[in-house]
Amino acid sequence: MLRVVEKNVEDEPLSLEAIAREGARRMLTTALEAEVAEYVASHHGERDESGHALVVRNGRREARTIVTGSGTIEVEAPRV
């Protein structure tokens, strides 16, 4: 019989729904990070009159709840 090795706080095996939600959260976070990195890289050379970069990373937004097919997840989007 197969079982999930990773365990939650109560030392109970994670449910399939919990695994799907965590996977969705990780994929969305990775996609957002990649999009921001590409955007910042594409505007890397743009400067204002003082020589400061016009596009920079600026922390993260507040966590938002997003509804997916596997349930709701919280995601913190990077700020630019």
Side-chain angles (χ1 to χ4, degrees):
M1 181 173 159
L2 297 175
R3 67 185 179 120
V4 177
V5 176
E6 185 177 345
K7 296 191 179 205
N8 60 14
V9 176
E10 294 87 23
D11 284 334
E12 293 291 324
L14 290 174
S15 67
L16 186 56
E17 290 84 15
I19 294 169
R21 278 192 303 275
E22 179 61 19
R25 187 191 63 75
R26 287 181 184 179
M27 287 191 312
L28 184 56
T29 300
T30 301
L32 288 170
E33 289 291 340
E35 186 176 352
V36 167
E38 180 181 338
Y39 181 78
V40 171
S42 68
H43 298 302
H44 176 69
E46 297 182 24
R47 304 285 176 177
D48 65 6
E49 303 83 32
S50 303
H52 298 106
L54 290 176
V55 178
V56 296
R57 292 184 65 116
N58 189 19
R60 297 189 171 280
R61 298 181 80 63
E62 290 183 26
R64 300 176 84 181
T65 302
I66 298 175
V67 179
T68 66
S70 59
T72 59
I73 57 174
E74 276 198 9
V75 178
E76 291 181 344
R79 292 177 53 166
V80 177

